[in-house]
Amino acid sequence: MIRRRVRRSVFGGKDVRVRSVRELSVTGKRVLVRVDFNVPLAGGTVADDTRIRAALPTISYLCERGAVVILASHLGRPKGRRVEELRLDPVAATLERLLGRPVRKVNDCVGAHVEAQVAALGPGEILLLENVRFYPEEEANDPSFARALARLADLFVNDAFGVAHRANASTVGVAAFLPAAAGFLLERELAVLEGLLGAPARPFVVVAGGAKVADKIGVLSSLMARADALLIGGKMAAAFWSDSAAPAAERQAAQEILARAAACGVRLLTPVDAAGVLNSGEGRRFWTAGSDALPAGGEVLDIGPETAARFSREIGAAATVFWNGPVGKFEEPPFDAGTKTVARAVAAAPASVVGGGDTAAAARAAGVAAALSHISTGGGATLKFLAGEVLPAVAALASSAGAR
C-alpha cells in the first residue's frame, strides 16, 4: 500500500505529476523548504516535536548533498501580526537538537536582512525563517510576498502536508517562481492516502469519530464507495439514533450517510450502548446504558463496552483500516476506554492509517502509535484529499516553474 516514491497524485478526477525532491539537482543550490512546524508550545519550549521529527528526512537529505537549506513555517494564528509568543526560536532549538547540527534563526522571513543571512550560508547549513504568518500577505497568497520568499532560493521543496489544503504564499504562491518538488513527508502522505482511494487490501474498514457528521460527509461518502464497513463513534454518533436530540442539520447529515451506505452496500455500525455522566442535585453520576435507554439529561462521553467489543471484532477482521476521530472523550478517564479499545484494534491491523491530530493523540495515549502503519500529519488536508478535493499546494507543485 505504501510506495517509496510518488510520481503521480490522483485528485479531482485527474492524474497530476508531482516531482520528487530526488529529481532536483540540489548540490550548491539554495533550497527553500516549506515545513509544518506548527507545534504546541509550553513554557517557551516545544511540547510535542512530532511534526519537527517528520521533516528531518528531507532536511537531512538536502544538507548531506550540500544544499543551502532555508526553512519556512507558520506557528499558531497570529493573524498577520508579530506575536512574541509565536516566534519560532523554540522550534529552532528543538530542530538543532534533533538534527545534531547548527540551525540559525532569523527574526524575519523576507527583506534585505534575510537575503544577507542566506548569502552568508555555506553548503549543508540551515536557516530557519521567522513565522510566515506574521505577514497578512502569507494567508492572502499575495504574489509580491511569494516573490520575496522566492528571491531567497533557487529551488522550492514543499514538505508541509498539514497545510497542503491552504492556498498560502509559502505553499502555493512561491511555486510559481521556482522549480518545485515534494519532500519525503509530502510524498509519503500522498502515497499512503492514494492507496486508500485506489485498491486497499480488503476487508477495508473506516472508523469515524468526532463531533459533527456534517463536517465529514465528503470524506465518508468517498470512502464508503471503497470500504467494506463504516464504524461511527464519538459525539456525532448520536445523530444516527432514532430518538436523537442532535441538531436538525446533524440528523439530516446522518440520514444522508445512511442512504449512501445503503446504496454502496457498506456495513454501517453505530453504537448500541454508551457511557457518560448525569449532573444533578445529587452530584455527578457515571452511567452506562443501551443507546435506546439513555438517561434523560445524560451527557454521552464514550461508546459503551458492547459497542467497543463489536468495533474491535470488526476491525480485527480488517486488512486495511482508516481511523479519523476518537470515539469518546479520551482525555478524561474513564471515558477513554472505548477509544483505547479501538486504538489497540486498529494498531493490530496489517495496514493502519490514522488521520487528524486528536486521533494521533489518542493513539499515543493508548500506547500504540509506534505500531501503526502511518499517522498522517494532516487534519483538514487528509480529509479533503480523501474526499477527492484538489489540494492547492499539490496542484502548485504540478504546475510550478520547470515542472513540465
Side-chain angles (χ1 to χ4, degrees):
M1 185 177 87
I2 298 173
R3 301 193 305 273
R4 183 181 177 192
R5 183 175 182 181
V6 174
R7 295 302 302 274
R8 305 184 75 84
S9 173
V10 182
F11 63 94
K14 299 178 181 179
D15 283 350
V16 178
R17 187 179 189 281
V18 177
R19 181 164 48 185
S20 167
V21 65
R22 296 181 182 87
E23 298 176 62
L24 299 178
S25 177
V26 302
T27 303
K29 300 291 181 63
R30 300 169 302 157
V31 183
L32 176 65
V33 185
R34 181 42 159 109
V35 288
D36 182 7
F37 289 165
N38 185 30
V39 296
L41 301 178
T45 62
V46 173
D48 182 350
D49 62 11
T50 301
R51 287 181 173 174
I52 300 175
R53 289 180 182 274
L56 297 182
T58 296
I59 298 170
S60 297
Y61 173 88
L62 292 170
C63 289
E64 290 163 3
R65 280 155 183 77
V68 173
V69 180
I70 306 133
L71 303 175
S73 179
H74 74 285
L75 177 61
R77 297 178 178 177
K79 300 181 179 180
R81 298 176 295 108
R82 292 182 180 269
V83 178
E84 290 302 313
E85 294 80 8
L86 294 178
R87 288 191 179 276
L88 288 169
D89 297 77
V91 171
T94 298
L95 179 61
E96 185 170 272
R97 174 177 57 80
L98 293 174
L99 282 172
R101 64 169 72 216
V103 174
R104 301 184 190 181
K105 160 73 171 43
V106 65
N107 290 328
D108 209 332
C109 52
V110 292
H113 174 65
V114 178
E115 291 174 20
Q117 292 285 310
V118 171
L121 295 173
E125 294 188 326
I126 303 168
L127 179 70
L128 175 62
L129 305 180
E130 189 54 273
N131 192 337
V132 291
R133 286 190 181 172
F134 282 0
Y135 284 81
E137 294 89 343
E138 159 67 0
E139 293 189 270
N141 192 17
D142 180 82
S144 297
F145 185 66
R147 189 183 293 275
L149 286 170
R151 276 199 296 270
L152 302 176
D154 306 302
L155 303 168
F156 173 58
V157 171
N158 193 338
D159 214 25
F161 179 73
V163 284
H165 59 311
R166 305 292 188 193
N168 294 161
S170 67
T171 62
V172 171
V174 72
F177 303 109
L178 295 172
F184 298 137
L185 169 61
L186 183 56
E187 281 187 341
R188 178 173 167 80
E189 292 276 13
L190 294 177
V192 171
L193 299 179
E194 283 170 9
L196 296 180
L197 294 179
R202 295 187 177 279
F204 175 29
V205 173
V206 175
V207 183
K212 294 184 178 180
V213 187
D215 291 345
K216 297 188 178 181
I217 283 184
V219 65
L220 292 181
S221 298
S222 175
L223 292 178
M224 274 193 293
R226 299 163 172 86
D228 298 288
L230 171 61
L231 283 49
I232 301 290
K235 188 176 180 179
M236 70 181 189
F240 290 84
W241 295 333
S242 58
D243 59 348
S244 174
E250 282 295 285
R251 297 198 304 274
Q252 181 178 345
Q255 290 304 308
E256 185 175 338
I257 292 297
L258 287 168
R260 293 187 184 187
C264 293
V266 65
R267 292 191 307 281
L268 194 152
L269 280 67
T270 58
V272 296
D273 60 346
V277 295
L278 181 63
N279 296 308
S280 66
E282 299 175 357
R284 195 169 189 243
R285 179 171 66 84
F286 296 87
W287 55 263
T288 301
S291 57
D292 58 351
L294 301 179
E299 182 182 8
V300 176
L301 296 176
D302 195 11
I303 57 174
E306 185 178 345
T307 300
R310 291 181 69 207
F311 281 13
S312 186
R313 286 193 298 270
E314 192 73 36
I315 296 166
T320 305
V321 181
F322 173 68
W323 175 28
N324 173 258
V327 296
K329 192 175 182 180
F330 75 96
E331 308 94 332
E332 182 184 343
F335 306 113
D336 57 348
T339 297
K340 285 187 174 180
T341 298
V342 166
R344 287 190 287 267
V346 171
S352 51
V353 181
V354 167
D358 287 343
T359 321
R364 287 192 291 270
V368 300
L372 296 166
S373 302
H374 181 72
I375 299 177
S376 179
T377 56
T382 299
L383 297 184
K384 287 181 179 295
F385 185 94
L386 291 176
E389 296 184 31
V390 174
L391 300 186
V394 178
L397 292 180
S399 60
S400 73
R404 299 182 184 279

